[in-house]
Amino acid sequence: MRPFNLFTTLSTLIPIVPAQSPLHLPLTIQCHPSPNVLCINSYLSVLPYHFSRASPNSSSVVPLSTIQLPPAYNATSAALASASFLIFDATRGVEVLGAAPTYDFMFAVSNAVHEAPVYAAAVDRLFLSQLAPTGFLPQLVVDLSGETPRLEEFLSDPPVYAPNGGTFAGGLIYWAASGGNMSIGGIEQRAGVRTLDPLTNKTETLLNNYFGYYFNTVDDIVVDAKGDVWFTDPQYSWFNNLTDTPPQLTPATYRFRPSTGAVSVVEDTLTQPNGIAISPDQKTMYLSDTGADTGVIDPRFPSIHSATFNATGKRTVYKYDIVDNGTAIVNKRPIYLAQEWAPDGLKVAANGMVVTATGMGMDVLDEFGTLIVRIQTNYTVENFAWVANKKDGGRLTEVWMTGNRGIARVRWALEGQTLK
Ligand SMILES: *[C@@H]1O[C@H](CO)[C@@H](O)[C@H](O)[C@H]1NC(C)=O
Ligand SMILES: *[C@@H]1O[C@H](CO)[C@@H](O)[C@H](O)[C@H]1NC(C)=O
Ligand SMILES: *[C@@H]1O[C@H](CO)[C@@H](O)[C@H](O)[C@H]1NC(C)=O
Ligand SMILES: *[C@@H]1O[C@H](CO)[C@@H](O)[C@H](O)[C@H]1NC(C)=O
Ligand SMILES: *[C@@H]1O[C@H](CO)[C@@H](O)[C@H](O)[C@H]1NC(C)=O
Ligand SMILES: *[C@@H]1O[C@H](CO)[C@@H](O)[C@H](O)[C@H]1NC(C)=O
Ligand SMILES: *[C@@H]1O[C@H](CO)[C@@H](O)[C@H](O)[C@H]1NC(C)=O
Ligand SMILES: *[C@@H]1O[C@H](CO)[C@@H](O)[C@H](O)[C@H]1NC(C)=O
């Protein structure tokens, strides 16, 4: 008698399971009535072989639709490319988008970085900047008061060199002024914190140095409920030729108290700290690290001003607890690795969800970093701001996204925090 072979016996009983489980097919499903919305099944957690996705680089941001799939999935790739909204979490995604989300490409602009969008309700205008190394002035403003939004040029008094981020507090726009040289409209300016009064167009300098050193690139900025100003200071102004001096300080994040003038470093572990945001309850801070996009700093070669994208570098959103009577941040933990490009502008919605501009679009995350919704654009988005939605009784359910070659508008159900 042949010896009993457990293996052959079992293998005749257990059917061969195909390598590709049908569990997650199809890749996309119907979960919203709008034709502009596509719902992703199970986060694409099992893709059919052979699939691959190219890494982003300095000239290509590789949207989700660029994943190479087997030919039978051509229709899926086409649907991924054409939808303005991708839902990853059906229940919460539908809540974020509402019943009839709209996406409108509003203005074609230059290929320069378009940054620092800030809404001033008192004048119903959205202020923004264009960061071309030459011709950074005038700034731009979208007048939202009429029937049709109008894009206009704007010059403050005095002008602010290269705002790279902005926010609104105490009736004033706070600019993260990122550049510096000897002759901005005839005057010297250095990276720092400036305010603009939208009612008078006058600007003031609140901060322009750290004990005599120039900041590198005051990049993005948030003001907490006590009036303290928190900002990131990466090195992009050297890479982008927006400052005439190489960095003197380590990339870091600071807290600045305008009432005393004191500046304190709060974080110095990120490669290139960039976006910054605070939760509505003031308990949590979010910072993004765009260290994947970095360049050479060598004062001996002042003609080398560029950044190269390295996909294996940092492109991560971090979460921190705010402690010590609102003065420090601890418990750094990564919550989101951007699936497209790197997380640039970062803001927290009124309901605590975290929104970040990543590549050609924006990602909406829950407070723990789970992707809920992606907005897809046809241009690289750097930053965004909520404005009053006239189609929704003036609630902050309208978002404007600014970037290279484009400014677009989304109307959905996700409300912004009211900044006063
Ligand atoms: C960047 O990525 C695109 C898309 O994958 C590719 O076609 C291109 O060759 C890459 N460029 C460089 C410089 O690696
Ligand atoms: C899918 O697209 C590829 C390349 O564009 C093409 O060769 C193939 O025939 C298409 N397959 C189907 C099933 O449409
Ligand atoms: C300073 O920057 C402005 C704006 O980019 C530019 O017009 C000017 O030439 C620069 N001046 C110097 C000395 O680099
Ligand atoms: C501020 O500038 C705008 C042009 O962008 C102008 O319409 C407005 O009258 C100015 N306000 C004041 C007080 O000068
Ligand atoms: C950097 O900017 C200065 C002043 O605007 C300009 O003279 C210089 O040519 C620029 N350098 C590079 C490498 O673009
Ligand atoms: C890209 O980044 C990784 C991780 O930071 C580093 O090890 C690698 O050397 C970088 N590659 C290039 C070409 O800079
Ligand atoms: C905590 O912060 C508040 C507001 O800035 C301040 O009034 C208070 O003195 C601080 N408490 C301590 C112990 O420093
Ligand atoms: C984006 O699409 C709009 C139309 O929806 C078009 O006018 C614009 O030129 C496109 N922009 C880019 C950069 O492709």
Side-chain angles (χ1 to χ4, degrees):
M1 200 178 112
R2 283 174 60 203
F4 179 74
N5 183 326
L6 183 65
F7 181 78
T8 28
T9 307
L10 282 182
S11 62
T12 58
L13 298 176
I14 301 171
I16 306 293
V17 179
Q20 176 61 60
S21 153
L23 186 64
H24 298 293
L25 301 179
L27 300 180
T28 60
I29 49 175
Q30 187 71 33
C31 75
H32 192 284
S34 167
N36 213 9
V37 179
L38 188 65
C39 306
I40 307 295
N41 197 7
S42 300
Y43 288 84
L44 302 179
S45 55
V46 179
L47 286 173
Y49 295 113
H50 171 65
F51 64 87
S52 68
R53 184 175 182 178
S55 288
N57 61 38
S58 295
S59 55
S60 173
V61 305
V62 291
L64 203 62
S65 61
T66 63
I67 298 175
Q68 296 289 312
L69 295 170
Y73 292 83
N74 285 9
T76 302
S77 301
L80 280 172
S82 66
S84 293
F85 303 97
L86 302 178
I87 287 183
F88 290 83
D89 176 307
T91 307
R92 292 181 293 171
V94 169
E95 284 166 19
V96 164
L97 293 183
T102 60
Y103 170 87
D104 298 293
F105 185 86
M106 300 300 290
F107 301 111
V109 289
S110 77
N111 192 29
V113 164
H114 287 77
E115 258 288 4
V118 183
Y119 178 57
V123 291
D124 206 6
R125 303 179 114 202
L126 179 76
F127 294 82
L128 62 137
S129 65
Q130 40 186 348
L131 296 187
T134 54
F136 77 103
L137 285 175
Q139 279 189 243
L140 299 174
V141 67
V142 180
D143 185 346
L144 295 159
S145 63
E147 193 66 26
T148 313
R150 284 191 328 211
L151 182 66
E152 298 170 355
E153 296 187 332
F154 174 72
L155 263 186
S156 60
D157 173 23
V160 175
Y161 187 34
N164 203 337
T167 191
F168 193 86
L172 299 173
I173 289 170
Y174 283 70
W175 292 129
S178 69
N181 79 19
M182 301 294 289
S183 54
I184 314 300
I187 58 172
E188 179 170 8
Q189 293 193 27
R190 296 295 163 189
V193 178
R194 313 273 294 270
T195 56
L196 164 68
D197 184 339
L199 299 178
T200 64
N201 298 337
K202 298 266 189 218
T203 62
E204 280 182 28
T205 299
L206 300 189
L207 178 71
N208 67 3
N209 76 93
Y210 185 73
F211 298 100
Y213 301 113
Y214 305 146
F215 287 105
N216 306 321
T217 311
V218 177
D219 188 293
D220 221 335
I221 187 166
V222 67
V223 179
D224 70 19
K226 295 191 300 193
D228 282 358
V229 179
W230 305 64
F231 62 87
T232 54
D233 190 45
Q235 300 166 325
Y236 290 112
S237 285
W238 178 254
F239 306 144
N240 296 338
N241 200 22
L242 288 165
T243 180
D244 56 5
T245 56
Q248 295 182 289
L249 301 168
T250 190
T253 300
Y254 297 88
R255 178 176 42 76
F256 164 55
R257 183 160 289 178
S259 59
T260 65
V263 186
S264 309
V265 67
V266 295
E267 217 288 349
D268 65 357
T269 71
L270 302 185
T271 313
Q272 298 292 345
N274 196 321
I276 184 167
I278 297 181
S279 62
D281 64 9
Q282 305 284 302
K283 289 183 175 161
T284 305
M285 178 161 286
Y286 299 93
L287 294 174
S288 66
D289 188 346
T290 49
D293 195 29
T294 197
V296 175
I297 300 165
D298 191 334
R300 292 172 304 163
F301 302 104
S303 62
I304 301 179
H305 287 283
S306 66
T308 307
F309 195 87
N310 177 349
T312 59
K314 298 293 184 197
R315 38 200 185 108
T316 308
V317 177
Y318 293 90
K319 179 174 183 175
Y320 302 80
D321 301 328
I322 302 178
V323 297
D324 288 354
N325 198 23
T327 64
I329 55 175
V330 298
N331 296 334
K332 172 189 180 186
R333 63 267 200 200
I335 61 162
Y336 186 60
L337 175 63
Q339 55 91 11
E340 186 175 323
W341 196 246
D344 196 338
L346 186 64
K347 287 178 178 149
V348 183
N351 69 0
M353 284 185 180
V354 180
V355 185
T356 181
T358 57
M360 295 208 279
M362 299 208 310
D363 291 332
V364 180
L365 317 170
D366 72 9
E367 64 183 296
F368 309 112
T370 303
L371 182 60
I372 309 288
V373 161
R374 175 161 178 80
I375 300 174
Q376 299 197 116
T377 59
N378 64 347
Y379 64 96
T380 300
V381 179
E382 276 98 37
N383 217 332
F384 59 97
W386 274 277
V387 312
N389 183 350
K390 273 129 197 141
K391 300 269 187 229
D392 190 17
R395 288 168 67 220
L396 293 178
T397 51
E398 181 171 318
V399 172
W400 284 65
M401 301 175 286
T402 63
N404 307 85
R405 298 182 203 269
I407 298 177
R409 176 184 72 190
V410 158
R411 288 173 167 153
W412 57 0
L414 188 65
E415 262 184 286
Q417 294 186 56
T418 302
L419 306 176
K420 286 188 186 144

